[in-house]
Amino acid sequence: MRLRNIPWAQDMLDDYPQYVPVNLDQLKGHWQDEFHNNHPIYLEVGSGKGRFIYSMAQAHPDINFIAMELQTSVAVRILERIVAEPLPNLRIINQDGGEISDFFASGEISRIYLNFSDPWPKKRHTKRRLTSPHFLNQYEQVLSTDGELHFKTDNQGLFEYSLASMSQYGMAFKQVWLDLHQSDFQGNIMTEYEEKFSAKGHPIYRLEAIFPQKKHTPIN
């Protein structure tokens, strides 16, 4: 889907360093200082317009949230939400999530959310999937010992791939949902894509996984 360019998006992001930190190299290992507390930090990789992460930050003021979104014209929509109704426990990183260990120290993140990531269905693009081994290695490095990875998608192929990829990597599944909206799961917050796809009758797949043994093995 082609994104509509917003000419003023970068200027607005630059105008609010209290929500969109600019000194990212200095924040690695010091994110709790940025939030002025020692609460756990939850990260969403690929936040879109921010409906999920903003709602989560509203519902859980005792947790710090970080929205990572590459597209400037999309990240600014998250910022607009925060400016309209400020939340002290939400920050935005307008960067590529491909190497999240560049932004966070080992064990600094308590939970990572992947919501409706690009499925990259062609085999030659497998390495771009956010649940491929390279990315799993990145998550393992920044997650705390008891950290969790939460993943949601409407794409059956991507979900099946993710189950296999995580299993082969050595992850363990706390729980798996094959039709989230028909389950007894409580407290689900929908993303914009989730609302769209579920309205069309698509089942929503979800899983929660952990790294029982944190290997921290570099992947080339």
Side-chain angles (χ1 to χ4, degrees):
M1 179 177 66
R2 185 172 182 177
L3 295 173
R4 181 173 67 88
N5 181 54
I6 300 177
W8 45 265
Q10 187 62 62
D11 289 339
M12 183 172 182
L13 292 171
D14 293 342
D15 287 343
Y16 289 90
Q18 66 270 41
Y19 301 130
V20 191
V22 294
N23 56 332
L24 296 177
D25 56 333
Q26 299 174 32
L27 284 176
K28 181 176 179 177
H30 302 282
W31 275 97
Q32 288 184 328
D33 294 338
E34 167 68 20
F35 288 103
H36 306 292
N37 59 54
N38 62 354
H39 297 165
I41 299 172
Y42 289 5
L43 167 71
E44 183 183 24
V45 179
S47 296
K49 296 179 181 179
R51 174 176 171 177
F52 172 84
I53 197 76
Y54 186 87
S55 298
M56 288 292 289
Q58 277 186 318
H60 303 282
D62 56 341
I63 297 172
N64 299 320
F65 291 86
I66 300 175
M68 179 173 279
E69 173 55 50
L70 171 63
Q71 301 295 335
T72 301
S73 294
V74 179
V76 76
R77 296 307 186 191
I78 310 174
L79 178 59
E80 287 179 324
R81 292 177 186 266
I82 306 175
V83 171
E85 295 184 55
L87 290 175
N89 62 327
L90 178 58
R91 298 290 187 275
I92 301 168
I93 296 179
N94 180 211
Q95 297 284 342
D96 187 354
E99 302 291 339
I100 63 173
S101 59
D102 288 347
F103 305 103
F104 305 104
S106 176
E108 193 167 23
I109 302 298
S110 295
R111 183 176 297 175
I112 292 176
Y113 295 102
L114 304 176
N115 292 317
F116 298 86
S117 310
D118 192 325
W120 293 105
K122 295 182 179 180
K123 188 174 182 179
R124 67 176 183 272
H125 293 151
T126 298
K127 290 184 178 180
R128 297 189 181 186
R129 297 171 189 164
L130 294 188
T131 51
S132 67
H134 170 78
F135 288 101
L136 296 181
N137 178 257
Q138 291 284 309
Y139 309 149
E140 185 183 22
Q141 290 185 53
V142 303
L143 279 172
S144 57
T145 303
D146 58 349
E148 300 179 0
L149 177 65
H150 292 195
F151 173 61
K152 274 199 296 188
T153 183
D154 73 308
N155 189 291
Q156 182 179 352
L158 178 61
F159 195 71
E160 292 173 349
Y161 167 82
S162 301
L163 289 171
S165 178
M166 293 180 192
S167 179
Q168 291 165 10
Y169 191 84
M171 299 181 69
F173 301 105
K174 294 184 64 177
Q175 199 160 353
V176 174
W177 293 262
L178 299 180
D179 195 343
L180 180 64
H181 292 184
Q182 299 303 315
S183 73
D184 59 359
F185 180 81
Q186 299 294 316
N188 182 52
I189 292 178
M190 289 200 291
T191 73
E192 292 89 349
Y193 280 118
E194 183 174 355
E195 184 174 54
K196 174 184 176 181
F197 294 140
S198 61
K200 294 181 178 180
H202 295 199
I204 304 301
Y205 306 94
R206 186 179 189 273
L207 65 79
E208 297 176 2
I210 59 174
F211 294 92
Q213 298 177 336
K214 292 173 68 63
K215 301 181 294 296
H216 294 258
T217 303
I219 291 182
N220 296 324

